[in-house]
Amino acid sequence: MLAEFGYGVLLVSFIVTIYSGIAAFLGVQNKSASLVESARRAQLLTFPLLSIAAGMLIYLLVNNHFDVSFVYEVTSRSMPTYLRVTAWWGGQAGSLLFWAWLLAMFTSAVTIRKWDRDIEFLPWVIVVSSITLAFFVGMVVFYENPFTRFWNVSGEIVPSMFSPAAGATLFTPPDGRGLNPLLRHPGMVIHPPMLYLGFVSFVIPYAFAMAALITGRTDDRWIRITRRWTLWAWLFLSLGLVLGGRWAYDVLGWGGYWGWDPVEIAAFMPWLTGTAFLHSVMIQEKRGLLKHWNMILIILTYALVIFGTFLTRSGVLSSVHAFANSPIGPLFMAFVSLTLIASIALLIKRWPEMRSETEMKSMLSREALFLLNNLLFMGILVVCFWGVISPLASELFTGTKITVGPPYYERATGPLFAGLLFLMAIAPLSAWGHSTIQTLGRAIWKSALAAAILTVVLVFTYTQNIYALIGFFLIALVLFATADEFARGASARMKAQNENFFLALARLMGRNRRRYGGYIIHVSMALMAIGILGIEIFQIQTQGTIAAGEELNIGDYTVQYQELASWDDGGAGVNYTRSVVDIYENGIFIGKLYPRIDYYFDSQQNMTIPGQHATLKDDLYILLVDWQPVSSDGATFKIYVNPLVNWLWIGSLTFLLGLIFAAWPDRDPADEPVRRKVSAGNHQTSAAD
């Protein structure tokens, strides 16, 4: 009965969503305010309806209703309650419902805003968001129904929503298969919701962009309305990527955080276009330039969000992140193709009306450097997109599926990322409208000199690797240039307001959140780059089978195997096999680590838990690969030393703080006038301003 009720609510949600879009369209065509208002209320109704359906599914998950096929696939009696709840997005059908639920929440939230100044946008925002929501709810209702039940038909177990034949009876398995152990890690509990939040949030700026194109509003009003939506979308997507990296590092057991997996890249591509969009919209706000380019970027971001969802769920890619083969793949591809074609057609129609208000006159101006920054992001996007689709294209046209691995991505994107670091240092120092080599040189020379001195020190104390030294120089340049911006701004305010340094800095940052939040994000990116350089260039590894009391040496470390124990936890349904190793650095004992392998009886799968000794210098990462009985040879370990990798996680936390600081609400950004007044001592704004 509960499953039938949940499915019925889903069906009603689909009908209400369709009505909302149609009513909004007819309302604007017939100039009927009452019909538009009816559409708005219908869209508001979708969130409580989908919340009821989601509540029904969670109840079934928590209470072991294994007669429901989705519950059987992702839960078991041994799983704790919190994992049964998060199993909602642990399978295909549930994750699509979660996607739709989040989208309904966001569209409802944007619908209840004040529309007095932007009433012409309202019906078209409803139409665009309703089309997207109807697609996802339709996928759940007609193709990936999480409420499908098991039926016994003459001894054969058949999944179906309703009785598939006369005399069929409901079948309830005694236990479920349980969630994939890889998805039980805390990072994976949070990682998918963050990615989905990022994906869904970008639908709102896209809907307003389409509304602007349809209504012919060629100003930047739609950008101001959606500025904070875009920032939060970027925050969630960034956090999702970082959490995914941490999950991979802790669980997948290959000693890294990023493997250029196709599904990883599918989430990374909309982040690239979203980041470019955040930078580019400032040029339109400040200078009235790049109106066409901003529309292209938000259309691409929306298309890549849907495309990434398609890659994850279609089964066309083999990935630890992807779901199994599914019939919805062609439907996703058709939807993303149709929406992309329709969006481009609208843009072409309005193209002549979206002329720039000024011209770009200097190749070293702020807007020119931001445009170059965008082109580098697009270069990385092209590399990633080709790497993802080339195996599919090869298989389609030649019958042979080629493999595109990390070396391709690293060689192709490395110079582009280096260029982004360089622009991150110099772009905030350039002026809007016009800048010269002399003015940039005067602003950057101290930071460049400090970065050069630090690099020389690293040559004698750390490495002579030319690629590493170039990377460290660029990172230092970003850090010193950003610190100089903070110092100059605070010093100018100290003189003007007669305040001490720390008070001046705090008030300056508080009154210029976007600017200084952007600076903090630049610092975080530089810190993350330290970790990326360290593990990519200096990682070392070894593997060996040793008996108790024997050692393995790697770098400055010695790992001595002590003992191994194995036991069952009946309540958790897990067998734990844990080794104990002593670790020494340069002959000095520094502690014990406990790498282990957990075997889950319900899913009959292993999960590898590394032992880690983390410092700012490096991370000693030990995996228990295999073991033998006490009377045999011992245990096999795989050991990595990952230099500087923990700066990646420090930078990730700094990034989160910077973005929250920049996006924290203080006043309505849509009603805030453009701030063109620049303080004498701190006239620059950052790339995130």
Side-chain angles (χ1 to χ4, degrees):
M1 181 63 73
L2 290 175
E4 292 169 329
F5 178 73
Y7 181 75
V9 174
L10 278 178
L11 190 58
V12 172
S13 302
F14 180 70
I15 295 170
V16 169
T17 304
I18 294 291
Y19 169 80
S20 177
I22 293 175
F25 179 78
L26 294 177
V28 74
Q29 292 297 314
N30 299 321
K31 298 181 179 179
S32 172
S34 60
L35 202 52
V36 172
E37 177 62 17
S38 177
R40 188 184 74 87
R41 293 183 180 184
Q43 189 166 75
L44 287 172
L45 186 59
T46 59
F47 177 61
L49 285 172
L50 287 173
S51 295
I52 293 171
M56 290 296 99
L57 183 60
I58 292 173
Y59 180 87
L60 295 171
L61 289 166
V62 170
N63 290 280
N64 299 323
H65 283 256
F66 299 123
D67 57 309
V68 177
S69 61
F70 180 75
V71 176
Y72 169 78
E73 293 289 340
V74 298
T75 66
S76 67
R77 297 185 184 278
S78 62
M79 286 172 54
T81 300
Y82 81 93
L83 278 180
R84 296 182 202 175
V85 174
T86 60
W88 177 12
W89 51 82
Q92 174 118 291
S95 68
L96 286 173
L97 175 57
F98 185 62
W99 214 108
W101 178 75
L102 287 175
L103 182 55
M105 178 174 64
F106 279 40
T107 54
S108 296
V110 80
T111 303
I112 60 176
R113 71 180 296 274
K114 294 180 180 179
W115 288 93
D116 299 343
R117 294 178 55 186
D118 313 291
I119 193 63
E120 71 271 28
F121 286 160
L122 174 59
W124 296 114
V125 168
I126 293 174
V127 169
V128 174
S129 57
S130 292
I131 289 172
T132 309
L133 181 58
F135 172 75
F136 278 93
V137 177
M139 290 298 98
V140 177
V141 170
F142 299 111
Y143 292 95
E144 292 289 348
N145 178 14
F147 296 105
T148 297
R149 295 172 294 175
F150 288 124
W151 297 86
N152 189 331
V153 183
S154 302
E156 182 182 359
I157 307 304
V158 178
S160 176
M161 184 64 236
F162 303 104
S163 177
T169 57
L170 281 172
F171 172 75
T172 303
D175 202 354
R177 289 183 178 177
L179 195 63
N180 186 324
L182 297 177
L183 305 182
R184 305 186 190 195
H185 183 270
M188 205 57 182
V189 169
I190 307 172
H191 162 65
M194 292 298 103
L195 280 184
Y196 292 161
L197 281 167
F199 282 176
V200 171
S201 299
F202 273 120
V203 174
I204 305 303
Y206 169 79
F208 275 92
M210 293 304 99
L213 286 177
I214 294 168
T215 58
R217 287 281 297 268
T218 60
D219 58 7
D220 59 3
R221 178 64 181 168
W222 71 273
I223 289 175
R224 295 180 178 280
I225 295 172
T226 60
R227 179 192 297 158
R228 191 155 283 137
W229 283 100
T230 307
L231 278 172
W232 286 108
W234 195 60
L235 165 64
F236 291 132
L237 191 52
S238 303
L239 187 57
L241 289 169
V242 169
L243 287 171
R246 186 70 215 194
W247 165 76
Y249 193 73
D250 286 347
V251 169
L252 296 186
W254 46 270
Y257 59 92
W258 184 265
W260 293 103
D261 179 278
V263 177
E264 289 177 332
I265 297 170
F268 183 51
M269 288 191 292
W271 184 89
L272 290 170
T273 53
T275 306
F277 177 71
L278 275 174
H279 288 77
S280 187
V281 292
M282 286 184 292
I283 303 176
Q284 183 172 338
E285 288 185 275
K286 299 284 187 180
R287 304 287 295 167
L289 296 168
L290 304 184
K291 294 182 179 181
H292 303 104
W293 181 238
N294 288 330
M295 280 292 179
I296 291 172
L297 285 176
I298 196 61
I299 290 170
L300 270 178
T301 303
Y302 174 82
L304 288 170
V305 161
I306 307 299
F307 182 69
T309 310
F310 153 74
L311 288 178
T312 310
R313 286 158 179 79
S314 62
V316 300
L317 294 175
S318 176
S319 166
V320 69
H321 304 76
F323 292 106
N325 191 31
S326 169
I328 67 175
L331 294 170
F332 262 94
M333 203 62 214
F335 181 76
V336 71
S337 299
L338 288 173
T339 53
L340 183 59
I341 291 170
S343 302
I344 295 298
L346 269 175
L347 179 58
I348 292 173
K349 179 182 177 181
R350 296 294 185 187
W351 193 273
E353 303 171 30
M354 301 176 66
R355 291 185 296 271
S356 297
E357 298 171 13
T358 58
E359 294 182 358
M360 198 174 293
K361 298 178 180 179
S362 171
M363 292 301 296
L364 294 176
S365 64
R366 180 81 60 85
E367 54 267 35
L369 294 179
F370 275 20
L371 179 58
L372 178 58
N373 173 82
N374 270 219
L375 295 177
L376 290 176
F377 276 117
M378 292 303 100
I380 297 170
L381 173 66
V382 170
V383 170
C384 292
F385 186 77
W386 177 246
V388 168
I389 67 166
S390 56
L392 306 179
S394 174
E395 186 175 25
L396 179 63
F397 293 110
T398 68
T400 303
K401 193 168 186 176
I402 64 173
T403 300
V404 177
Y408 157 76
Y409 294 104
E410 290 165 358
R411 285 195 297 267
T413 63
L416 299 175
F417 280 118
L420 286 174
L421 276 173
F422 181 68
L423 288 176
M424 201 181 298
I426 66 168
L429 305 176
S430 62
W432 294 107
H434 182 75
S435 194
T436 66
I437 293 178
Q438 289 77 15
T439 57
L440 280 177
R442 285 194 297 269
I444 197 67
W445 77 268
K446 293 179 182 177
S447 300
L449 178 61
I453 293 171
L454 179 60
T455 305
V456 171
V457 172
L458 291 175
V459 169
F460 292 102
T461 60
Y462 194 75
T463 181
Q464 286 79 47
N465 183 295
I466 185 63
Y467 299 109
L469 291 172
I470 292 172
F472 286 132
F473 171 79
L474 293 172
I475 291 167
L477 186 64
V478 173
L479 292 174
F480 285 127
T482 306
D484 188 47
E485 282 293 283
F486 276 97
R488 287 199 295 166
S491 297
R493 184 176 175 89
M494 285 173 61
K495 295 175 182 177
Q497 302 295 330
N498 195 27
E499 298 170 341
N500 65 59
F501 178 83
F502 296 105
L503 179 61
L505 181 61
R507 289 182 174 174
L508 186 69
M509 292 175 65
R511 294 183 181 182
N512 299 273
R513 289 184 182 276
R514 291 179 67 199
R515 178 191 306 172
Y516 288 95
Y519 287 158
I520 295 171
I521 291 170
H522 284 182
V523 169
S524 73
M525 292 293 186
L527 296 178
M528 293 171 72
I530 295 173
I532 293 169
L533 268 183
I535 192 172
E536 292 295 330
I537 295 180
F538 302 113
Q539 182 188 63
I540 56 175
Q541 61 177 286
T542 188
Q543 181 170 321
T545 301
I546 53 177
E550 293 183 341
E551 300 173 345
L552 284 172
N553 296 304
I554 180 170
D556 295 333
Y557 293 99
T558 298
V559 176
Q560 186 180 72
Y561 172 40
Q562 296 298 326
E563 59 181 345
L564 183 141
S566 184
W567 70 94
D568 291 345
D569 185 337
V574 185
N575 172 266
Y576 298 101
T577 301
R578 190 189 74 169
S579 62
V580 181
V581 297
D582 290 345
I583 54 174
Y584 298 83
E585 184 176 12
N586 296 318
I588 301 173
F589 177 73
I590 57 175
K592 295 179 180 290
L593 293 179
Y594 307 93
R596 71 176 198 266
I597 295 177
D598 301 345
Y599 178 78
Y600 288 81
F601 296 112
D602 50 14
S603 61
Q604 299 181 23
Q605 291 179 284
N606 287 330
M607 184 165 69
T608 302
I609 307 297
Q612 298 178 52
H613 173 71
T615 66
L616 293 179
K617 179 175 74 93
D618 57 32
D619 192 8
L620 180 64
Y621 184 99
I622 304 176
L623 297 166
L624 175 62
V625 178
D626 196 8
W627 69 94
Q628 303 293 332
V630 176
S631 59
S632 297
D633 292 335
T636 302
F637 296 94
K638 190 168 188 177
I639 307 172
Y640 297 86
V641 174
N642 297 325
L644 305 175
V645 70
N646 291 297
W647 287 100
L648 175 64
W649 316 124
I650 294 171
S652 301
L653 293 174
T654 309
F655 173 88
L656 178 62
L657 293 175
L659 193 47
I660 291 176
F661 183 82
W664 196 261
D666 46 9
R667 66 182 72 182
D668 182 2
D671 298 324
E672 183 181 351
V674 180
R675 295 185 178 180
R676 301 181 184 272
K677 192 173 180 180
V678 183
S679 61
N682 191 39
H683 58 282
Q684 283 82 18
T685 55
S686 77
D689 186 0

